[in-house]
Amino acid sequence: MKLAVITDTTAVLSDDIKQKENLFILDIPITFEGETYVEGKNLSLDEFYHRMAHSPTLPHTSQPSLAKLDEILTQLVSDGYTHVIGLFLSSGISGFWQNIQFFIEDHPELTIAFPDSKITSAPLGCMVKNLLKWGEEELAFEAILEKLQQQIDGTGAFIMVDDLNHLVKGGRLSNGSALIGNLLSIKPILYFNDGTIEVFEKVRTEKKAIKRLVEVLTEKTANGQYEVFIIHTRAEEKAQHFYQTLCDNHFGHQLEIVGFDAVIATHLGEGAVAFGFTPIV
């Protein structure tokens, strides 16, 4: 078996992982006032936040290119690959996963699996990293998919945002939820529920929301071992406070602070802090 892994730019990956020859990453473009950019190619993260702060309209994102995915799959056949796993951002926040299923039949020379990650960002990157590792360990394809599904089933994320308007205008949250949150100064805790972002609880203040996030994370990771990521959109102080609170409570899992990429920050806005957790399988 020669395994290729394909993902998208919302997956948080280290530079050494990105250099793996059997990893392929699809760009997700961001559009500001008619101009299209890709983070890391013609737009830095600093430039993105500057543009978002000064643009009269919110940016929007598009799905990865179907033509580019088709091109990669065609090339993989020529390069001698036999198996492919494509793992992309959750079907609950993008239609890309639904739109690519026909490629499985279009490329019969390859054994292809497109599981729904039901997540994005650092947990997605963790899954991609594991797929590459399991491939290097020469696990059977079905065994890899089984371990991946265990990880998907045990993964979750909870989010506190500063401004719900980004999620509303991007079609990721209802207008009613945003109105209540903004008018009453409520800090809603959002979460991925089967891959879709929904309101988990409404908390009155940011301090109480952070405390509640710590409680939820502790509950969700009580059984088993997890990799846990504190993820933020230019909210380093909140993230560090969250991290220190967990350390003070003797949190017993691997813990890392990372930033959301520009695509996800487009929908969350600046000042969001979240945690994502994924089981070690």
Side-chain angles (χ1 to χ4, degrees):
M1 179 180 73
K2 187 176 181 181
L3 175 66
V5 177
I6 311 174
T7 190
D8 61 61
T9 48
T10 66
V12 175
L13 298 165
S14 62
D15 289 339
D16 61 318
I17 294 295
K18 290 179 181 178
Q19 299 306 313
K20 298 280 187 180
E21 65 176 11
N22 62 329
L23 175 64
F24 303 85
I25 303 174
L26 295 175
D27 293 332
I28 298 182
I30 301 169
T31 302
F32 282 96
E33 301 175 62
E35 296 290 330
T36 300
Y37 302 88
V38 173
E39 182 188 349
K41 293 188 174 179
N42 60 351
L43 183 73
S44 71
L45 197 56
D46 285 340
E47 290 169 338
F48 164 78
Y49 279 111
H50 178 80
R51 282 180 173 271
M52 188 164 67
H54 294 88
S55 175
T57 58
L58 292 177
H60 67 267
T61 60
S62 304
Q63 293 183 19
S65 167
L66 291 175
K68 182 61 178 177
L69 177 56
D70 190 34
E71 177 186 320
I72 290 172
L73 293 170
T74 300
Q75 186 61 46
L76 289 177
V77 176
S78 300
D79 292 343
Y81 285 91
T82 58
H83 292 70
V84 179
I85 298 176
L87 197 64
F88 308 99
L89 76 168
S90 172
S91 67
I93 55 176
S94 170
F96 185 67
W97 179 80
Q98 289 94 336
N99 292 337
I100 64 175
Q101 299 303 316
F102 73 93
F103 282 128
I104 295 174
E105 292 186 1
D106 275 7
H107 293 273
E109 310 93 336
L110 296 167
T111 300
I112 301 174
F114 291 141
D116 185 0
S117 74
K118 299 186 179 181
I119 202 70
T120 186
S121 192
L124 176 60
C126 185
M127 294 175 188
V128 170
K129 177 186 68 175
N130 284 338
L131 287 175
L132 294 166
K133 177 173 72 74
W134 296 330
E136 290 170 359
E137 292 172 353
E138 298 185 350
L139 269 66
F141 190 65
E142 289 304 322
I144 291 175
L145 291 178
E146 184 178 336
K147 288 172 76 71
L148 173 61
Q149 193 60 52
Q150 290 175 19
Q151 194 168 17
I152 290 171
D153 292 342
T155 294
F158 290 73
I159 312 161
M160 181 185 72
V161 297
D162 257 7
D163 183 357
L164 289 170
N165 287 319
H166 288 258
L167 281 164
V168 172
K169 292 181 179 179
R172 269 69 183 181
L173 194 66
S174 73
N175 279 299
S177 296
L179 182 64
I180 293 171
N182 289 339
L183 286 181
L184 302 182
S185 300
I186 285 170
K187 287 291 182 185
I189 295 173
L190 313 175
Y191 76 128
F192 274 85
N193 182 20
D194 198 30
T196 301
I197 298 177
E198 298 180 3
V199 176
F200 178 70
E201 286 182 8
K202 296 186 179 77
V203 183
R204 178 65 69 178
T205 67
E206 185 173 289
K207 183 177 180 180
K208 289 180 179 179
I210 291 287
K211 180 181 178 182
R212 182 62 180 132
L213 283 172
V214 171
E215 292 172 351
V216 171
L217 178 56
T218 302
E219 293 166 5
K220 294 293 182 181
T221 59
N223 299 314
Q225 287 297 309
Y226 291 82
E227 290 188 60
V228 178
F229 306 92
I230 297 172
I231 323 167
H232 65 92
T233 56
R234 285 294 161 90
E236 291 89 352
E237 189 173 332
K238 293 179 192 176
Q240 286 291 345
H241 174 62
F242 193 4
Y243 181 93
Q244 191 58 52
T245 302
L246 288 169
C247 291
D248 291 345
N249 284 272
H250 308 290
F251 189 71
H253 300 282
Q254 295 181 27
L255 191 59
E256 183 180 354
I257 298 176
V258 299
F260 280 109
D261 74 297
V263 170
I264 302 301
T266 295
H267 300 291
L268 296 183
E270 195 167 344
V273 65
F275 70 76
F277 59 92
T278 188
I280 298 173
V281 299

